[in-house]
Amino acid sequence: MRFQLSGDQAALRAGVRELLARLFDGEALRAAVDSSGLDRELWRELGAAGFFALRVPEADGGVGLGLPEAVLVFEEAGRVLLPGPLVATHLAAGAVDGAAEGEVVVAGVDRGGLVEWLDEADVVRGDAAGAVALRSVDPLTPLHRVPGALPRAVDPVAVLLTAAEQLGTATRAGELAVQHARTREQFGQPIGAFQAVKHLCAQMLVRAETARAAVYAAAVTADPVDIAAARLLADEAAERGARDCLQVHGGMGFTWECEVQLLVKRAWVRARRGGGGAESEELLAVDLLA
């Protein structure tokens, strides 16, 4: 079995990274935090690039690619902290008019009764009646909760795409930590020369690469058990990686001007999407006992 990306997949990832670098760079991230709203022009640009229609058959006007390619795209979205109900709109493409083109923003009520970006959504999948606004720790993920919402079955694809976003965030945390460790000096040398900092960066890399293997494998098998394992590993890589990145940055990592605190907050919020990892843990436990 080949685990390397194909030439087309590598080109897709490079193209998406280049596109997002143009559409949503660091300045755009800061502007999004300050505005606290969804950029509709950006949403339409994503639609025009095929972000939402990636898995819609070509006969229906989509790109006609598969789950492995979607994982690569969502990994890049997680790497730059792209805001908005990306997973919900992607899953609605082909079923909700305008979603594939980015003309319609779709939100969804998840298993835990949470709804992301409810006020910005044109269409809400699930019953959001009586939803109450919550104070979200992440300024780029406004949240509502539906009181008394009945548990809903979780779409494995939604779980996997969330894991892919977490993987992208874990990767970005590692990049920022290494960059800072190479340039920040103490006692006349880069802090990356100190063993404690080396260990933090190495652990971030190991967790991210372990999660990457699991996420990519689950994208190929589409097996619910594989997806559950990928979600748990990706959540851990993102949450612990962002926290370790914060530690490498020291006091400046907590400041509003630093991107690291945004990585931490997004990882926290995503890890609780769809009711958190409880269902994935239960699915793995049942499989181990079978």
Side-chain angles (χ1 to χ4, degrees), residues 139-226:
L140 288 176
T141 311
L143 296 171
H144 284 72
R145 184 183 296 281
V146 181
L150 296 175
R152 304 174 61 215
V154 177
D155 185 343
V157 175
V159 175
L160 182 59
L161 295 182
T162 295
E165 287 184 286
Q166 291 285 62
L167 173 59
T169 297
T171 301
R172 180 60 176 162
E175 292 171 349
L176 289 176
V178 170
Q179 180 183 22
H180 186 72
R182 286 173 172 170
T183 56
R184 172 66 172 171
E185 291 189 359
Q186 287 287 343
F187 308 110
Q189 60 182 325
I191 63 172
F194 301 118
Q195 191 174 48
V197 176
K198 290 179 181 179
H199 284 177
L200 283 175
C201 293
Q203 289 165 1
M204 293 168 68
L205 176 63
V206 169
R207 285 193 295 265
E209 290 305 308
T210 301
R212 188 185 314 281
V215 170
Y216 286 7
V220 174
T221 67
D223 182 87
V225 175
D226 292 342

Side-chain angles (χ1 to χ4, degrees), residues 42-159:
L42 171 63
W43 208 253
R44 284 188 286 270
E45 290 265 17
L46 293 173
F51 189 99
F52 304 116
L54 195 70
R55 296 186 305 120
V56 176
E58 289 185 85
D60 297 328
V63 181
L65 297 178
L67 195 53
E69 288 75 25
V71 160
L72 295 176
V73 170
F74 272 80
E75 180 185 350
E76 292 302 314
R79 182 175 171 273
V80 299
L81 297 181
L82 192 64
L86 301 167
V87 173
T89 303
H90 177 88
L91 294 177
V96 174
D97 289 342
E101 296 79 16
E103 297 295 334
V104 171
V105 176
V106 181
V109 182
D110 71 17
R111 178 180 174 81
L114 288 177
V115 191
E116 299 179 8
W117 292 93
L118 178 62
D119 290 339
E120 296 279 359
D122 302 307
V123 174
V124 180
R125 305 183 89 181
D127 185 5
V132 178
L134 300 177
R135 183 177 180 182
S136 175
V137 68
D138 178 17
L140 288 176
T141 311
L143 296 171
H144 284 72
R145 184 183 296 281
V146 181
L150 296 175
R152 304 174 61 215
V154 177
D155 185 343
V157 175
V159 175

